[in-house]
Each structure stands twice: as structure tokens, then as C-alpha cells.
Amino acid sequence: GIQVEQSPPDLILQEGANSTLRCNFSDSVNNLQWFHQNPWGQLINLFYIPSGTKQNGRLSATTVATERYSLLYISSSQTTDSGVYFCAVGGVNLETSGSRLTFGEGTQLTVNP
Amino acid sequence: ETGVTQTPRHLVMGMTNKKSLKCEQHLGHNAMYWYKQSAKKPLELMFVYSLEERVENNSVPSRFSPECPNSSHLFLHLHTLQPEDSALYLCASSRDRLAGGNFDTQYFGPGTRLTVL
């Protein structure tokens, strides 16, 4: 099946700093989503971005499908941004990917005041 | 406000107990999913239902038994679990499972944190 690697695994920032999270994947995808899991376990969808660039407030994401990576940018970070950020992809090869999203192991972000 | 609710939020059970997890989505979606999230591991897909039909079972042990009586409700029946089954169980829904090779955005519930003693 498709492999998803996220980096860095852990990231500690001071409030106000900017950061870039990376997601590499091993095969062609037709679905890529970024999620934020808060400290209470709730997963919130941030972006549906199989290709191109999107922005939502302080967050933006870019997926370069031909080079098999996606980036999540967080600007002017706040303590409420803390949590785990997951990248999840759906492969185009239905025989190996089926109906599933394959999740990376996540980036644990801590924003200190 | 996610539109997907799960109950209970926390559950502690013994290995001989039988319990059920419930998920309800208020988004009018046709597909629902169960995921397991263990400590230090990525989310693992367990089951996929589309229009109340199970379309994927990701090699899950039979002590986990899903049920989807209608497109808004999804249950996970648990019996004779093992301590290693302790995890966060997440339910998700999406508009469709598969549409022209493309999947829709998945919306997650808050999860049930399960502890098996």
C-alpha cells in the first residue's frame, strides 16, 4: 500500500513563530487531507488538497502531486495550535488503496506562550 | 461542531464484558468509517460502510463487530476484548465512499477512549 511520511515528528515553537510541516507519499494520490487533532482527541479537517494551494486564515497548504509531497504552513502560531497534525492520502490505485485514507504518524506541535 | 457524535466518550470494560460504541452523523453522508488510534501509532482503518453496506473490513478480529442500521448510525459491538485493544476509537463520515476515484472530505467524531482491564 501507499506509504506516508511526515516530518518533523515533533516541533516546539514560541508563540508568534512560523512553521512548515511536510508530508511525503509514495504513490500517486487523488485525495490528500490535513487534520489537526487537539489534546482531547478531536480530529478536525483543515484542508482537502490533492493538488494546488489553499489558504484558510493563518494556515495554508500546498500539494505538489507530481513530486509526491504536501506542505502545511502555520503562520503567527498560537498556543491553541498545539496538537498533532496528520496528513492522510488516498491512492489512485484502487486495488491497493481501496476506500481508505492512509494516515501518516503525525507531527506533534507544541506552541509555548 | 463536527456533525458527528460518538457515545460514550470514555469506556472501561473487563475482558469478559460486552459493550457497544455508537456513532451518529447529522451531515446527510452516505459513508461511515471506524478507525482505531493506539498510542504512538497512525490511525488504522477498521471498517467502511457505504449506504449501510460493509464495503471494507481491514483484517479486524471478530471480537469487533460493526453494525450500520441506516446511513446515519454506526455501531461497534465489542466482546471478549484484550488489553491491547485499549485505544481511541474514532468514527468518521463522508459524503460518498468513492466517486470517480475521488474521496470526499472525512469528518470525525470526538472518539471513544476505551480501556480494557
Side-chain angles (χ1 to χ4, degrees):
Chain A
I2 195 166
Q3 306 297 313
V4 182
E5 293 184 359
Q6 291 187 242
S7 60
D10 298 278
L11 184 58
I12 300 175
L13 302 174
Q14 286 300 121
E15 203 167 22
N18 302 328
S19 62
T20 301
L21 282 58
R22 187 176 181 102
C23 172
N24 292 333
F25 41 93
S26 62
D27 203 350
S28 298
V29 300
N30 54 20
N31 188 324
L32 189 145
Q33 298 178 35
W34 283 97
F35 294 89
H36 174 225
Q37 187 170 38
N38 66 23
W40 298 272
Q42 176 71 64
L43 269 164
I44 301 295
N45 184 284
L46 299 175
F47 293 103
Y48 170 83
I49 186 167
S51 65
T53 298
K54 290 186 177 179
Q55 181 161 4
N56 184 2
R58 297 181 295 104
L59 302 181
S60 63
T62 294
T63 297
V64 184
T66 53
E67 297 186 23
R68 298 183 183 173
Y69 73 88
S70 183
L71 302 174
L72 178 69
Y73 305 97
I74 304 174
S75 64
S76 304
S77 57
Q78 300 177 359
T79 56
T80 52
D81 295 331
S82 297
V84 183
Y85 289 80
F86 289 102
C87 169
V89 304
V92 296
N93 187 336
L94 298 181
E95 288 186 359
T96 56
S97 299
S99 309
R100 67 193 66 172
L101 284 179
T102 300
F103 282 75
E105 296 193 0
T107 292
Q108 174 74 58
L109 175 65
T110 302
V111 181
N112 292 320
Chain B
E1 177 67 50
T2 64
V4 181
T5 58
Q6 289 186 244
T7 54
R9 295 294 307 277
H10 300 271
L11 178 62
V12 179
M13 60 187 289
M15 290 190 286
T16 59
N17 292 155
K18 290 183 180 181
K19 296 287 185 182
S20 295
L21 310 184
K22 179 183 176 181
C23 175
E24 184 173 0
Q25 58 94 3
H26 314 274
L27 301 169
H29 289 168
N30 293 320
M32 297 186 76
Y33 311 78
W34 278 117
Y35 287 87
K36 175 184 179 182
Q37 187 179 27
S38 304
K40 306 296 184 184
K41 293 176 69 175
L43 272 74
E44 303 170 62
L45 179 67
M46 300 175 73
F47 300 104
V48 180
Y49 275 81
S50 176
L51 297 172
E52 302 145 43
E53 177 185 351
R54 190 190 312 177
V55 295
E56 191 157 338
N57 176 342
N58 197 20
S59 302
V60 179
S62 60
R63 57 186 184 268
F64 295 92
S65 175
E67 178 190 2
C68 187
N70 55 63
S71 59
S72 298
H73 294 85
L74 185 65
F75 295 90
L76 188 62
H77 304 300
L78 317 171
H79 62 97
T80 59
L81 294 191
Q82 305 298 311
E84 58 265 30
D85 296 322
S86 298
L88 180 67
Y89 288 85
L90 291 159
C91 173
S93 72
S94 65
R95 185 177 57 189
D96 290 298
R97 172 182 73 93
L98 188 65
N102 200 354
F103 311 108
D104 287 308
T105 300
Q106 290 194 10
Y107 296 87
F108 282 80
T112 295
R113 191 161 296 282
L114 173 67
T115 302
V116 182
L117 301 177

